[in-house]
Amino acid sequence: SVLQENLGSHLRRCPLVKQVQSLSTQPFYQKGVNAGKEDEQEEPETGIPTSGFDIVTSEMKRNDVYSLNISEFFEMIGKIESVHAQICNDIKDSYKIPEACGVWIKGEVDRNVPFQEKHVAQQASMLGNLEEFGVLERIDDKEKCELVERAENSNGVPAVVEFGAGRGYLTQMLADCYGIRRVFLVERKAYKLKADRSLRQKESLILERLRIDIEDLNLNAVESLQRLPYIAIGKHLCGPATDLTLRCCLANERSAEQCGVNCYLRGLAIATCCHHLCQWKHYINKKYLTSLGISKEEFHAITWFTSWAVDADHGSDLSDVIDFKLRPESIEREECNGNANGVEAIAKNMKAIERAKLGFMCKQIIDMGRLMWLKEHGLQTQLVKYVPSSISPENHLLIARHVGGR
Protein backbone atom coordinates (compact mmCIF):
# COMPACT_ATOMS: atom_id res chain seq x y z
CA SER A 1 0.00 0.00 0.00
CA VAL A 2 1.11 3.58 -0.65
CA LEU A 3 -0.15 7.00 0.33
CA GLN A 4 -2.84 8.35 -1.98
CA GLU A 5 -0.73 11.36 -2.96
CA ASN A 6 2.07 8.97 -4.03
CA LEU A 7 -0.15 6.58 -5.98
CA GLY A 8 0.32 8.23 -9.38
CA SER A 9 4.13 8.17 -9.26
CA HIS A 10 4.08 4.63 -7.86
CA LEU A 11 1.96 3.30 -10.72
CA ARG A 12 4.37 4.78 -13.26
CA ARG A 13 7.21 2.65 -11.94
CA CYS A 14 5.41 -0.36 -10.38
CA PRO A 15 6.88 -3.54 -11.93
CA LEU A 16 3.62 -5.44 -11.43
CA VAL A 17 1.65 -2.89 -13.44
CA LYS A 18 4.26 -3.04 -16.21
CA GLN A 19 4.04 -6.84 -16.20
CA VAL A 20 0.23 -6.77 -16.51
CA GLN A 21 0.41 -4.20 -19.31
CA SER A 22 3.02 -6.26 -21.16
CA LEU A 23 1.01 -9.46 -20.74
CA SER A 24 -2.18 -7.89 -22.09
CA THR A 25 -0.45 -7.23 -25.43
CA GLN A 26 0.50 -10.88 -25.92
CA PRO A 27 -1.60 -12.76 -28.53
CA PHE A 28 -2.05 -15.73 -26.20
CA TYR A 29 -3.54 -13.60 -23.40
CA GLN A 30 -7.33 -13.83 -23.32
CA LYS A 31 -8.91 -12.84 -20.02
CA GLY A 32 -10.97 -15.67 -18.53
CA VAL A 33 -10.84 -17.86 -21.63
CA ASN A 34 -10.58 -21.04 -19.51
CA ALA A 35 -12.64 -19.89 -16.54
CA GLY A 36 -15.82 -21.79 -17.31
CA LYS A 37 -19.31 -20.60 -16.38
CA GLU A 38 -21.74 -21.05 -13.52
CA ASP A 39 -24.47 -22.51 -15.74
CA GLU A 40 -23.55 -24.95 -18.50
CA GLN A 41 -26.45 -23.57 -20.58
CA GLU A 42 -25.02 -20.06 -20.57
CA GLU A 43 -22.80 -18.71 -23.31
CA PRO A 44 -19.06 -18.91 -22.51
CA GLU A 45 -17.75 -15.94 -20.55
CA THR A 46 -14.70 -15.46 -22.74
CA GLY A 47 -13.23 -12.01 -22.29
CA ILE A 48 -15.22 -11.18 -19.17
CA PRO A 49 -13.00 -10.69 -16.09
CA THR A 50 -13.85 -12.87 -13.12
CA SER A 51 -14.38 -11.31 -9.72
CA GLY A 52 -13.01 -12.37 -6.37
CA PHE A 53 -16.61 -12.34 -5.13
CA ASP A 54 -17.29 -15.39 -7.36
CA ILE A 55 -15.08 -17.51 -5.11
CA VAL A 56 -16.78 -19.70 -2.50
CA THR A 57 -14.28 -19.80 0.37
CA SER A 58 -13.62 -22.79 2.62
CA GLU A 59 -15.22 -20.88 5.49
CA MET A 60 -18.38 -20.39 3.44
CA LYS A 61 -18.44 -24.07 2.52
CA ARG A 62 -17.98 -25.11 6.15
CA ASN A 63 -20.75 -22.81 7.36
CA ASP A 64 -23.12 -24.21 4.74
CA VAL A 65 -22.40 -27.77 5.92
CA TYR A 66 -22.83 -26.85 9.58
CA SER A 67 -26.14 -25.16 8.79
CA LEU A 68 -27.64 -28.49 7.70
CA ASN A 69 -29.80 -30.39 10.12
CA ILE A 70 -28.60 -33.83 11.12
CA SER A 71 -30.97 -35.69 8.79
CA GLU A 72 -29.80 -33.59 5.81
CA PHE A 73 -26.18 -34.23 6.72
CA PHE A 74 -26.80 -37.97 6.99
CA GLU A 75 -28.57 -37.92 3.62
CA MET A 76 -25.61 -36.15 2.01
CA ILE A 77 -23.12 -38.69 3.41
CA GLY A 78 -25.32 -41.48 2.04
CA LYS A 79 -25.38 -39.86 -1.39
CA ILE A 80 -21.59 -39.51 -1.41
CA GLU A 81 -21.15 -43.17 -0.52
CA SER A 82 -23.66 -44.21 -3.18
CA VAL A 83 -22.08 -42.11 -5.95
CA HIS A 84 -18.59 -43.26 -5.00
CA ALA A 85 -19.62 -46.93 -5.12
CA GLN A 86 -21.19 -46.31 -8.53
CA ILE A 87 -18.30 -44.57 -10.34
CA CYS A 88 -15.04 -45.02 -8.38
CA ASN A 89 -14.38 -48.74 -8.64
CA ASP A 90 -11.46 -48.76 -11.07
CA ILE A 91 -8.71 -46.73 -9.38
CA LYS A 92 -5.60 -48.89 -9.13
CA ASP A 93 -2.24 -48.49 -7.41
CA SER A 94 0.38 -47.69 -10.02
CA TYR A 95 3.72 -46.74 -8.47
CA LYS A 96 6.09 -46.91 -11.45
CA ILE A 97 9.78 -45.98 -11.43
CA PRO A 98 11.15 -46.19 -15.00
CA GLU A 99 14.71 -47.18 -15.79
CA ALA A 100 15.12 -43.89 -17.63
CA CYS A 101 14.97 -42.01 -14.31
CA GLY A 102 17.73 -44.08 -12.69
CA VAL A 103 20.16 -41.18 -12.48
CA TRP A 104 17.67 -39.12 -10.48
CA ILE A 105 16.56 -42.00 -8.27
CA LYS A 106 20.19 -42.74 -7.36
CA GLY A 107 20.78 -39.08 -6.56
CA GLU A 108 23.47 -38.76 -9.24
CA VAL A 109 22.16 -35.47 -10.61
CA ASP A 110 23.86 -32.11 -10.55
CA ARG A 111 24.08 -31.09 -6.88
CA ASN A 112 23.05 -27.57 -7.91
CA VAL A 113 19.62 -29.03 -8.58
CA PRO A 114 17.42 -29.19 -5.44
CA PHE A 115 16.91 -32.84 -4.53
CA GLN A 116 14.16 -34.15 -2.26
CA GLU A 117 13.54 -37.86 -2.35
CA LYS A 118 9.74 -37.64 -1.98
CA HIS A 119 9.44 -35.20 -4.89
CA VAL A 120 11.80 -37.26 -7.06
CA ALA A 121 9.69 -40.36 -6.41
CA GLN A 122 6.52 -38.53 -7.44
CA GLN A 123 8.06 -37.05 -10.58
CA ALA A 124 9.58 -40.38 -11.63
CA SER A 125 6.31 -42.25 -11.12
CA MET A 126 4.44 -39.67 -13.20
CA LEU A 127 6.86 -40.30 -16.07
CA GLY A 128 6.76 -44.05 -15.45
CA ASN A 129 2.98 -44.06 -15.77
CA LEU A 130 3.19 -42.02 -18.97
CA GLU A 131 5.67 -44.56 -20.33
CA GLU A 132 3.46 -47.51 -19.40
CA PHE A 133 0.43 -45.77 -20.90
CA GLY A 134 2.17 -45.36 -24.25
CA VAL A 135 2.79 -41.62 -24.25
CA LEU A 136 6.49 -42.07 -23.50
CA GLU A 137 8.42 -44.93 -25.07
CA ARG A 138 11.68 -46.56 -24.08
CA ILE A 139 14.06 -47.01 -27.04
CA ASP A 140 16.38 -49.76 -25.79
CA ASP A 141 18.67 -49.98 -28.82
CA LYS A 142 19.52 -46.29 -28.48
CA GLU A 143 19.63 -46.50 -24.68
CA LYS A 144 17.43 -43.46 -24.34
CA CYS A 145 13.79 -42.49 -24.43
CA GLU A 146 11.94 -40.27 -26.78
CA LEU A 147 8.35 -39.16 -27.04
CA VAL A 148 6.12 -41.36 -29.17
CA GLU A 149 5.17 -39.92 -32.57
CA ARG A 150 1.77 -41.32 -33.51
CA ALA A 151 0.78 -39.20 -36.51
CA GLU A 152 2.22 -40.59 -39.74
CA ASN A 153 2.98 -37.18 -41.21
CA SER A 154 4.54 -35.71 -38.07
CA ASN A 155 8.22 -35.11 -37.61
CA GLY A 156 10.39 -34.44 -34.62
CA VAL A 157 9.63 -34.94 -30.94
CA PRO A 158 6.38 -33.42 -29.61
CA ALA A 159 6.59 -30.40 -27.38
CA VAL A 160 5.97 -30.53 -23.63
CA VAL A 161 3.82 -27.99 -21.81
CA GLU A 162 4.12 -28.02 -18.02
CA PHE A 163 1.23 -26.26 -16.31
CA GLY A 164 1.74 -24.80 -12.85
CA ALA A 165 5.42 -25.38 -13.49
CA GLY A 166 6.79 -23.56 -10.45
CA ARG A 167 10.55 -23.88 -10.62
CA GLY A 168 10.29 -26.44 -13.41
CA TYR A 169 11.93 -29.49 -11.86
CA LEU A 170 9.41 -31.97 -13.26
CA THR A 171 10.44 -30.76 -16.71
CA GLN A 172 14.07 -30.91 -15.58
CA MET A 173 13.73 -34.64 -14.90
CA LEU A 174 11.89 -35.15 -18.17
CA ALA A 175 14.64 -33.33 -20.05
CA ASP A 176 17.40 -35.28 -18.31
CA CYS A 177 15.79 -38.68 -18.83
CA TYR A 178 13.81 -38.39 -22.09
CA GLY A 179 14.49 -36.92 -25.51
CA ILE A 180 12.52 -33.68 -25.72
CA ARG A 181 13.23 -30.72 -27.97
CA ARG A 182 10.81 -27.97 -27.01
CA VAL A 183 9.45 -27.05 -23.57
CA PHE A 184 6.87 -24.51 -22.43
CA LEU A 185 6.63 -23.70 -18.72
CA VAL A 186 3.35 -22.07 -17.69
CA GLU A 187 3.42 -20.37 -14.28
CA ARG A 188 1.80 -17.17 -12.99
CA LYS A 189 4.29 -16.54 -10.18
CA ALA A 190 7.95 -15.56 -10.22
CA TYR A 191 10.38 -18.01 -8.60
CA LYS A 192 14.01 -18.00 -7.63
CA LEU A 193 16.25 -21.07 -8.07
CA LYS A 194 14.39 -22.14 -11.21
CA ALA A 195 15.49 -25.05 -13.38
CA ASP A 196 15.55 -22.72 -16.39
CA ARG A 197 19.29 -22.08 -16.29
CA SER A 198 20.09 -25.80 -16.35
CA LEU A 199 17.50 -26.46 -19.06
CA ARG A 200 18.84 -23.68 -21.28
CA GLN A 201 22.29 -25.29 -21.18
CA LYS A 202 20.91 -28.25 -23.16
CA GLU A 203 21.83 -27.43 -26.75
CA SER A 204 19.06 -29.51 -28.31
CA LEU A 205 16.29 -28.07 -26.12
CA ILE A 206 14.29 -24.88 -26.70
CA LEU A 207 12.68 -23.45 -23.57
CA GLU A 208 9.95 -20.84 -23.34
CA ARG A 209 8.45 -19.68 -20.03
CA LEU A 210 4.96 -18.16 -20.11
CA ARG A 211 4.26 -16.11 -17.00
CA ILE A 212 0.47 -16.14 -17.10
CA ASP A 213 -2.51 -17.49 -15.19
CA ILE A 214 -3.81 -20.69 -16.82
CA GLU A 215 -7.28 -19.13 -16.70
CA ASP A 216 -6.17 -16.51 -19.24
CA LEU A 217 -4.02 -18.67 -21.55
CA ASN A 218 -5.17 -19.29 -25.13
CA LEU A 219 -2.73 -22.08 -25.91
CA ASN A 220 -3.70 -22.10 -29.60
CA ALA A 221 -2.38 -18.54 -29.92
CA VAL A 222 1.15 -19.41 -28.73
CA GLU A 223 2.89 -18.94 -32.05
CA SER A 224 5.88 -21.20 -31.37
CA LEU A 225 3.55 -24.07 -30.38
CA GLN A 226 1.38 -23.91 -33.49
CA ARG A 227 1.52 -26.91 -35.84
CA LEU A 228 3.14 -28.95 -33.07
CA PRO A 229 1.75 -31.95 -31.18
CA TYR A 230 2.42 -31.74 -27.47
CA ILE A 231 1.93 -33.49 -24.16
CA ALA A 232 0.69 -31.64 -21.06
CA ILE A 233 2.05 -32.33 -17.59
CA GLY A 234 1.42 -30.86 -14.18
CA LYS A 235 2.45 -31.95 -10.70
CA HIS A 236 0.03 -30.94 -7.94
CA LEU A 237 -2.19 -28.61 -9.93
CA CYS A 238 -4.09 -27.13 -7.01
CA GLY A 239 -7.87 -27.17 -6.99
CA PRO A 240 -9.42 -25.51 -10.05
CA ALA A 241 -6.04 -25.26 -11.82
CA THR A 242 -6.63 -28.83 -13.05
CA ASP A 243 -9.98 -27.84 -14.57
CA LEU A 244 -8.50 -24.72 -16.14
CA THR A 245 -5.70 -26.82 -17.65
CA LEU A 246 -8.06 -29.40 -19.15
CA ARG A 247 -10.17 -26.64 -20.67
CA CYS A 248 -7.04 -24.90 -21.94
CA CYS A 249 -5.83 -28.05 -23.69
CA LEU A 250 -9.07 -29.38 -25.13
CA ALA A 251 -12.05 -27.02 -25.02
CA ASN A 252 -10.91 -24.97 -28.03
CA GLU A 253 -9.10 -27.77 -29.86
CA ARG A 254 -11.76 -28.32 -32.52
CA SER A 255 -12.00 -24.65 -33.44
CA ALA A 256 -8.21 -24.48 -33.69
CA GLU A 257 -8.14 -27.41 -36.11
CA GLN A 258 -10.90 -25.81 -38.21
CA CYS A 259 -8.74 -22.71 -38.48
CA GLY A 260 -5.82 -24.80 -39.74
CA VAL A 261 -3.74 -24.46 -36.58
CA ASN A 262 -2.38 -27.98 -36.14
CA CYS A 263 -1.57 -27.65 -32.43
CA TYR A 264 -3.12 -30.47 -30.48
CA LEU A 265 -2.78 -32.62 -27.42
CA ARG A 266 -1.16 -36.06 -27.67
CA GLY A 267 -1.40 -37.01 -24.01
CA LEU A 268 -1.36 -35.65 -20.50
CA ALA A 269 -0.44 -36.49 -16.92
CA ILE A 270 -1.84 -34.30 -14.14
CA ALA A 271 -1.32 -34.96 -10.44
CA THR A 272 -4.36 -33.39 -8.80
CA CYS A 273 -4.43 -31.89 -5.33
CA CYS A 274 -6.09 -29.36 -3.01
CA HIS A 275 -9.61 -30.33 -4.05
CA HIS A 276 -10.98 -28.14 -1.24
CA LEU A 277 -10.17 -25.12 -3.44
CA CYS A 278 -12.34 -26.34 -6.34
CA GLN A 279 -15.15 -24.07 -7.54
CA TRP A 280 -18.40 -24.95 -9.30
CA LYS A 281 -17.84 -22.30 -11.98
CA HIS A 282 -14.43 -23.68 -12.94
CA TYR A 283 -15.23 -27.39 -12.62
CA ILE A 284 -14.92 -29.09 -15.99
CA ASN A 285 -17.80 -31.58 -15.80
CA LYS A 286 -20.76 -30.04 -13.99
CA LYS A 287 -23.09 -31.85 -16.39
CA TYR A 288 -21.83 -35.25 -15.25
CA LEU A 289 -22.14 -34.51 -11.53
CA THR A 290 -25.61 -33.08 -12.07
CA SER A 291 -26.62 -36.31 -13.82
CA LEU A 292 -25.56 -38.15 -10.64
CA GLY A 293 -27.85 -35.94 -8.56
CA ILE A 294 -25.12 -33.68 -7.15
CA SER A 295 -26.16 -30.04 -6.93
CA LYS A 296 -23.94 -26.97 -6.88
CA GLU A 297 -24.34 -26.68 -3.10
CA GLU A 298 -23.52 -30.37 -2.59
CA PHE A 299 -20.47 -30.02 -4.83
CA HIS A 300 -19.09 -27.28 -2.59
CA ALA A 301 -19.77 -29.44 0.47
CA ILE A 302 -17.94 -32.33 -1.22
CA THR A 303 -14.95 -30.09 -1.94
CA TRP A 304 -14.86 -29.02 1.72
CA PHE A 305 -14.91 -32.66 2.89
CA THR A 306 -11.81 -33.37 0.75
CA SER A 307 -9.64 -31.51 3.27
CA TRP A 308 -10.42 -34.33 5.73
CA ALA A 309 -8.36 -36.74 3.62
CA VAL A 310 -5.23 -35.54 5.42
CA ASP A 311 -6.68 -36.05 8.91
CA ALA A 312 -5.37 -39.61 9.38
CA ASP A 313 -1.79 -40.73 10.01
CA HIS A 314 0.00 -40.91 6.66
CA GLY A 315 3.12 -42.48 8.05
CA SER A 316 1.59 -45.84 7.16
CA ASP A 317 -0.17 -47.20 4.11
CA LEU A 318 -3.74 -45.96 3.87
CA SER A 319 -4.60 -47.71 0.61
CA ASP A 320 -7.43 -49.57 2.34
CA VAL A 321 -8.94 -46.50 3.97
CA ILE A 322 -11.99 -46.71 1.69
CA ASP A 323 -12.85 -50.10 3.25
CA PHE A 324 -13.80 -48.41 6.53
CA LYS A 325 -17.54 -48.05 7.05
CA LEU A 326 -19.01 -44.75 8.14
CA ARG A 327 -21.43 -45.49 10.96
CA PRO A 328 -24.81 -43.72 10.90
CA GLU A 329 -25.44 -44.82 14.51
CA SER A 330 -23.42 -41.92 15.89
CA ILE A 331 -25.38 -39.50 13.73
CA GLU A 332 -28.68 -40.97 14.85
CA ARG A 333 -27.57 -40.83 18.48
CA GLU A 334 -26.71 -37.13 18.18
CA GLU A 335 -30.11 -36.51 16.58
CA CYS A 336 -31.92 -38.31 19.41
CA ASN A 337 -29.96 -36.40 22.02
CA GLY A 338 -30.96 -33.12 20.41
CA ASN A 339 -27.37 -31.89 20.42
CA ALA A 340 -27.37 -28.12 20.12
CA ASN A 341 -24.21 -28.14 18.02
CA GLY A 342 -25.73 -30.60 15.56
CA VAL A 343 -23.62 -31.33 12.48
CA GLU A 344 -20.59 -29.46 13.83
CA ALA A 345 -20.43 -31.77 16.85
CA ILE A 346 -20.81 -34.85 14.66
CA ALA A 347 -18.03 -33.70 12.33
CA LYS A 348 -15.64 -32.97 15.18
CA ASN A 349 -16.38 -36.26 16.96
CA MET A 350 -15.82 -38.47 13.92
CA LYS A 351 -12.71 -40.65 14.06
CA ALA A 352 -9.77 -39.42 12.01
CA ILE A 353 -9.83 -42.55 9.84
CA GLU A 354 -13.54 -42.01 9.12
CA ARG A 355 -12.95 -38.38 8.18
CA ALA A 356 -10.06 -39.47 5.95
CA LYS A 357 -12.26 -42.04 4.26
CA LEU A 358 -14.91 -39.46 3.45
CA GLY A 359 -12.24 -37.03 2.22
CA PHE A 360 -10.70 -39.58 -0.15
CA MET A 361 -14.12 -40.58 -1.47
CA CYS A 362 -14.90 -36.95 -2.29
CA LYS A 363 -11.52 -36.43 -3.98
CA GLN A 364 -12.10 -39.46 -6.18
CA ILE A 365 -15.61 -38.35 -7.17
CA ILE A 366 -14.23 -34.99 -8.30
CA ASP A 367 -11.40 -36.60 -10.27
CA MET A 368 -13.67 -39.20 -11.87
CA GLY A 369 -15.79 -36.37 -13.25
CA ARG A 370 -12.66 -34.98 -14.87
CA LEU A 371 -11.79 -38.40 -16.28
CA MET A 372 -15.26 -38.76 -17.80
CA TRP A 373 -14.91 -35.35 -19.45
CA LEU A 374 -11.68 -36.48 -21.11
CA LYS A 375 -13.40 -39.64 -22.33
CA GLU A 376 -16.16 -37.53 -23.87
CA HIS A 377 -13.43 -35.74 -25.83
CA GLY A 378 -12.20 -39.01 -27.31
CA LEU A 379 -9.20 -39.71 -25.08
CA GLN A 380 -8.18 -43.01 -23.53
CA THR A 381 -7.93 -42.33 -19.81
CA GLN A 382 -6.91 -43.71 -16.42
CA LEU A 383 -7.05 -42.46 -12.85
CA VAL A 384 -4.40 -44.10 -10.67
CA LYS A 385 -2.72 -43.76 -7.29
CA TYR A 386 0.76 -43.06 -8.55
CA VAL A 387 2.60 -43.08 -5.20
CA PRO A 388 1.81 -44.61 -1.80
CA SER A 389 0.00 -42.27 0.59
CA SER A 390 3.02 -42.52 2.90
CA ILE A 391 4.93 -40.51 0.27
CA SER A 392 2.06 -38.11 -0.36
CA PRO A 393 -1.65 -38.33 0.47
CA GLU A 394 -2.20 -36.24 -2.67
CA ASN A 395 -1.52 -39.27 -4.85
CA HIS A 396 -4.09 -39.22 -7.66
CA LEU A 397 -2.74 -39.05 -11.22
CA LEU A 398 -4.98 -38.38 -14.19
CA ILE A 399 -3.41 -39.71 -17.40
CA ALA A 400 -4.82 -39.66 -20.93
CA ARG A 401 -3.82 -39.98 -24.55
CA HIS A 402 -5.31 -39.61 -27.99
CA VAL A 403 -5.48 -42.89 -29.89
CA GLY A 404 -5.84 -43.44 -33.62
CA GLY A 405 -5.36 -40.73 -36.17
CA ARG A 406 -3.76 -38.27 -33.80
Side-chain angles (χ1 to χ4, degrees), residues 326-347:
L326 291 175
R327 300 181 184 86
E329 294 85 1
S330 60
I331 298 176
E332 293 170 353
R333 185 164 55 251
E334 293 286 350
E335 186 174 24
C336 293
N337 292 339
N339 193 307
N341 294 321
V343 171
E344 182 175 359
I346 293 171

Side-chain angles (χ1 to χ4, degrees), residues 74-348:
F74 180 40
E75 183 179 349
M76 181 184 296
I77 299 300
K79 180 181 287 190
I80 291 171
E81 289 183 310
S82 176
V83 169
H84 184 271
Q86 180 181 344
I87 68 174
C88 299
N89 49 19
D90 191 27
I91 305 174
K92 65 178 183 178
D93 294 326
S94 185
Y95 184 31
K96 306 290 181 181
I97 303 297
E99 292 182 20
C101 297
V103 172
W104 275 79
I105 295 300
K106 296 174 184 176
E108 298 174 354
V109 295
D110 184 352
R111 279 294 125 188
N112 291 323
V113 175
F115 184 95
Q116 285 187 281
E117 187 174 345
K118 68 174 184 177
H119 293 302
V120 169
Q122 293 172 62
Q123 293 163 359
S125 187
M126 286 183 66
L127 302 183
N129 274 281
L130 275 174
E131 184 176 319
E132 184 177 75
F133 204 56
V135 182
L136 295 175
E137 183 175 294
R138 179 78 177 175
I139 309 299
D140 293 327
D141 57 344
K142 296 181 181 180
E143 295 185 351
K144 70 174 186 177
C145 291
E146 61 184 32
L147 296 172
V148 176
E149 275 298 339
R150 299 192 179 279
E152 294 180 359
N153 60 352
S154 60
N155 51 56
V157 175
V160 173
V161 182
E162 182 179 355
F163 290 87
R167 294 179 173 86
Y169 287 108
L170 173 57
T171 290
Q172 175 79 66
M173 178 181 285
L174 183 58
D176 286 348
C177 305
Y178 293 81
I180 57 176
R181 300 178 184 175
R182 187 178 290 273
V183 172
F184 297 82
L185 302 180
V186 180
E187 174 56 58
R188 65 182 178 180
K189 297 179 181 179
Y191 282 91
K192 296 181 179 180
L193 303 175
K194 298 190 295 288
D196 299 36
R197 178 177 294 181
S198 176
L199 289 169
R200 294 185 193 281
Q201 291 176 352
K202 298 181 180 295
E203 295 181 0
S204 61
L205 186 143
I206 300 173
L207 170 67
E208 186 171 347
R209 183 175 278 270
L210 306 177
R211 189 176 173 187
I212 186 174
D213 195 308
I214 302 169
E215 181 177 326
D216 305 322
L217 174 61
N218 181 358
L219 202 61
N220 297 317
V222 178
E223 184 177 354
S224 50
L225 186 59
Q226 292 177 4
R227 293 170 295 279
L228 286 177
Y230 69 95
I231 65 170
I233 57 175
K235 177 175 175 284
H236 290 180
L237 277 174
C238 292
T242 293
D243 303 298
L244 301 177
T245 296
L246 296 179
R247 197 174 280 113
C248 181
C249 292
L250 286 166
N252 299 315
E253 189 176 68
R254 182 173 298 178
S255 61
E257 290 179 350
Q258 290 173 345
C259 294
V261 182
N262 190 23
C263 159
Y264 52 83
L265 181 72
R266 284 289 177 80
L268 63 83
I270 295 177
T272 63
C273 79
C274 300
H275 297 73
H276 64 283
L277 298 175
C278 290
Q279 300 290 319
W280 181 254
K281 175 180 179 177
H282 300 315
Y283 188 64
I284 199 71
N285 208 352
K286 294 184 280 289
K287 180 180 177 181
Y288 179 70
L289 292 190
T290 301
S291 72
L292 295 170
I294 297 175
S295 67
K296 173 182 175 180
E297 292 72 24
E298 289 170 331
F299 171 81
H300 282 137
I302 286 172
T303 63
W304 184 68
F305 288 139
T306 63
S307 63
W308 291 2
V310 298
D311 278 8
D313 176 18
H314 296 289
S316 58
D317 184 15
L318 292 178
S319 59
D320 296 329
V321 67
I322 299 299
D323 293 335
F324 281 83
K325 179 66 177 174
L326 291 175
R327 300 181 184 86
E329 294 85 1
S330 60
I331 298 176
E332 293 170 353
R333 185 164 55 251
E334 293 286 350
E335 186 174 24
C336 293
N337 292 339
N339 193 307
N341 294 321
V343 171
E344 182 175 359
I346 293 171
K348 291 181 177 179

